Amino acid sequence: TITAALDRWDQEGPKPTAICAHNDDIGLAISLALSLRGRQPGRDLAVMGIDDVPASRVGLSTVRSDTQAVAEDIVRRTLAALEGRSFAAKEHGFLKIIARASA
């Protein structure tokens, strides 16, 4: 559980300074658990989620992905492979960090 992980981090060293949660829901749960212990996300432990769900707008830093662009890129690469064409790799910018109070 989150509280067990926080307990372990408090008892063992070195303590983490940041965590990137599996998704925003877990990031929000970690932020709440920190707050219930009198600790402030972003000051005492940087917390980041992934997905940019609406609830994250309460102050959770997150990573937003452009799923439409990812899907289009997969289709282009797949068609190129099926047609025997090469597909030049390029930087796409599929991910964007949304910085808020928690990190």
Side-chain angles (χ1 to χ4, degrees):
T1 68
I2 292 169
T3 56
L6 291 175
D7 287 341
R8 191 169 50 248
W9 290 342
D10 285 341
Q11 295 167 1
E12 299 174 4
K15 291 180 176 50
T17 58
I19 184 167
C20 183
H22 174 74
N23 58 33
D24 285 345
D25 294 331
I26 294 173
L28 289 165
I30 292 168
S31 294
L32 176 60
L34 285 169
S35 296
L36 292 173
R37 292 166 174 259
R39 296 169 67 189
Q40 183 179 345
R43 183 191 71 204
D44 299 314
L45 179 68
V47 181
M48 179 169 274
I50 297 174
D51 295 330
D52 194 28
V53 299
S56 69
R57 295 185 184 114
V58 299
L60 180 68
S61 294
T62 188
V63 177
R64 178 187 301 154
S65 63
D66 185 346
T67 54
Q68 178 68 34
V70 171
E72 290 171 1
D73 186 64
I74 291 169
V75 168
R76 281 193 296 273
R77 288 173 182 266
T78 301
L79 289 173
L82 290 172
E83 295 169 357
R85 295 183 286 114
S86 62
F87 188 88
K90 61 181 180 178
E91 194 164 320
H92 297 281
F94 294 138
L95 302 175
K96 179 179 181 183
I97 294 175
I98 310 299
R100 296 188 179 113
S102 70

